[in-house]
Amino acid sequence: MKMTFRWYGKGNDSISLKQIKQIPGCSGLMGLLDQYAAGEVWPLEVIQDYVKHVHEAGLEVEVIESVNVHEDIKLGLPTRDKYIENYKQTIENLAKCGVKVIIYNFMPVLDWLRTDLAREIPEDGSNSLYFDEEELKGMTPLEIVENTAKSSNGFTLPGWEPERLKELEHVLDLYKDVDQDKLRENYKYFLDAIIPTCERVGVRMACHPDDPAWPIFGLPRIAHSQEGYDKIVALHDSPCNTVCLCTGSLGSNPENDIPAVIRHFGEMNRIGAMHVRNVKYLGYHKFREASHLSSDGDLDMYEIMKAIYETCPDTYVRPDHGRMIWDEVGRPGYGLYDRALGIAYLNGLWEAIDKESKNK
């Protein structure tokens, strides 16, 4: 296992590489360049500068996140081919810089959704991302976008780039004729086009699940259960067609048995990367992000780490969506302190599981 940390880049993150390097057991990053809109080519020289800067800090960057898929590809519009060609070029450029895994998603329009980015946790006064479907009633998607932007503490948020959402109502209208089967058909077209490039340059694509793990605003969503992921893996049978198994996204639905899902895809060698976090259920389609400690949420982090250890021990892992604690102000979900605590906790579980295994 390689323990990593999400970092947004120099000048675009409240956290420095020096601070990340000081987290015990953290060997590298899951990096991203969020200055490029979906469909744009990520320039080779910009990627090279990013990777060089990370390496100079003594960290690896073998995983890149949020290479967003243009909406025209998901919709199956005639313009999709030019955006697919751009995507293939970005894959090649990332591979030239040592990237081995690209995390992306195929969620229509909205990548992830919360109704509050800083809901106070009564037990300790910290705050975290929060979702309550009841709060969505009577709100339009545009109002959700505006509320999210106002609550971001001045930082950009992955999946909520202004350029991509400025024509939100128009894009939502286009999806009226796209159901789950049609979305999968368009997904297969995308995978059939890019996976040969991935195989040639040695990059694995890792699909992030829907977040939360159910349909929103009537949009088709196809990646929020083991069954849904099985269908995605079957769209193009290749070791390069993998999943980014986010325990919090899938775990937002208590019907998903997260350790079992990890074992299922781990044994298939179809886990490209892992986001490991905890969630606290507060009711039907209502939850908040919790600390990584098992007892603070409703996911069994020991069983999650054990499933990783036993079925995909060489994968990349990072903590995800930490609380804001100790009066830290930063990008919601991506502060330093709670995610650093998460790494320490996950590494502690890993060490215990490793020693248990070797002493049997």
Side-chain angles (χ1 to χ4, degrees):
M1 177 190 68
K2 287 192 174 183
M3 184 61 72
T4 65
F5 199 86
R6 186 169 198 171
W7 188 64
Y8 286 78
K10 187 177 181 180
N12 195 29
D13 203 310
S14 60
I15 300 163
S16 69
L17 290 178
K18 180 180 178 181
Q19 290 171 317
I20 296 171
K21 178 64 177 175
Q22 292 171 0
I23 301 172
C26 181
S27 63
L29 304 179
M30 291 191 185
L32 74 159
L33 300 173
D34 67 353
Q35 66 264 45
Y36 297 105
E40 289 187 307
V41 175
W42 289 21
L44 177 60
E45 60 274 13
V46 175
I47 302 169
Q48 288 172 330
D49 288 345
Y50 179 96
V51 171
K52 180 175 181 289
H53 183 60
V54 173
H55 286 174
E56 287 174 346
L59 295 163
E60 297 177 329
V61 56
E62 296 180 348
V63 182
I64 287 289
E65 303 196 66
S66 298
V67 184
N68 292 324
V69 178
H70 196 278
E71 222 64 49
D72 289 12
I73 298 172
K74 301 173 194 175
L75 287 162
L77 300 181
T79 49
R80 63 182 169 179
D81 288 333
K82 70 175 181 179
Y83 294 119
I84 288 175
E85 289 304 311
N86 287 352
Y87 206 101
K88 288 161 66 176
Q89 185 61 58
T90 295
I91 292 171
E92 295 210 26
N93 290 346
L94 288 168
K96 289 175 183 176
C97 297
V99 171
K100 298 178 181 178
V101 177
I102 295 174
I103 297 172
Y104 71 109
N105 72 74
F106 217 76
M107 283 180 263
V109 189
L110 302 172
D111 282 18
W112 57 271
L113 183 63
R114 297 293 185 271
T115 53
D116 193 336
L117 302 187
R119 182 62 60 97
E120 183 172 324
I121 299 173
E123 290 84 354
D124 61 15
S126 63
N127 68 75
S128 70
L129 301 173
Y130 170 91
F131 182 88
D132 183 356
E133 194 163 78
E134 284 295 314
E135 294 183 2
L136 288 181
K137 293 181 178 178
M139 295 184 70
T140 68
L142 278 175
E143 287 173 330
I144 291 291
V145 169
E146 290 171 358
N147 289 345
T148 300
K150 290 176 183 176
S151 305
S152 66
N153 295 329
F155 291 97
T156 58
L157 294 171
W160 293 86
E161 296 79 9
E163 297 81 5
R164 197 168 65 85
L165 296 171
K166 63 183 178 182
E167 297 183 3
L168 181 59
E169 287 184 328
H170 172 65
V171 176
L172 285 169
D173 186 63
L174 292 175
Y175 273 102
K176 290 180 180 178
D177 296 323
V178 180
D179 60 11
Q180 289 190 350
D181 289 339
K182 181 60 178 177
L183 186 63
R184 286 194 193 94
E185 180 183 323
N186 297 339
Y187 198 170
K188 177 175 172 54
Y189 186 94
F190 172 67
L191 290 175
D192 287 346
I194 68 165
I195 293 299
T197 298
C198 294
E199 292 173 339
R200 176 168 54 80
V201 300
V203 168
R204 305 180 88 194
M205 300 298 299
C207 176
H208 190 280
D210 303 329
D211 186 6
W214 50 79
I216 297 290
F217 293 124
L219 291 165
R221 303 182 94 182
I222 57 177
H224 48 262
S225 66
Q226 180 175 310
E227 178 185 9
Y229 261 145
D230 275 333
K231 292 178 180 179
I232 289 171
V233 169
L235 289 176
H236 192 113
D237 186 13
S238 168
C240 292
N241 179 22
T242 75
V243 304
C244 171
L245 214 157
C246 177
T247 64
S249 297
L250 287 175
S252 62
N253 185 347
E255 294 181 5
N256 286 325
D257 183 336
I258 303 304
V261 175
I262 294 170
R263 291 181 183 280
H264 176 76
F265 291 105
E267 290 167 357
M268 294 170 61
N269 192 28
R270 288 296 186 273
I271 294 180
M274 293 278 308
H275 294 170
V276 179
R277 59 181 166 92
N278 202 354
V279 294
K280 180 69 176 178
Y281 303 132
L282 303 171
Y284 178 73
H285 286 187
K286 182 179 179 180
F287 65 91
R288 64 169 171 80
E289 316 290 1
S291 83
H292 286 72
L293 185 70
S294 293
S295 58
D296 277 356
D298 287 291
L299 301 184
D300 189 329
M301 307 306 282
Y302 172 84
E303 289 298 332
I304 285 171
M305 294 304 291
K306 188 176 181 182
I308 296 171
Y309 183 91
E310 293 178 350
T311 65
C312 51
D314 297 327
T315 196
Y316 300 89
V317 171
R318 74 162 171 83
D320 199 17
H321 291 193
R323 302 165 299 149
M324 285 298 176
I325 63 174
W326 303 336
D327 300 319
E328 182 178 16
V329 176
R331 182 179 273 106
Y334 292 99
L336 170 64
Y337 305 137
D338 202 40
R339 286 191 294 159
L341 290 175
I343 284 182
Y345 178 61
L346 297 178
N347 276 332
L349 287 175
W350 188 269
E351 180 180 349
I353 293 166
D354 184 54
K355 288 182 176 179
E356 286 176 356
S357 176
K358 292 175 179 177
N359 289 334
K360 286 182 180 179

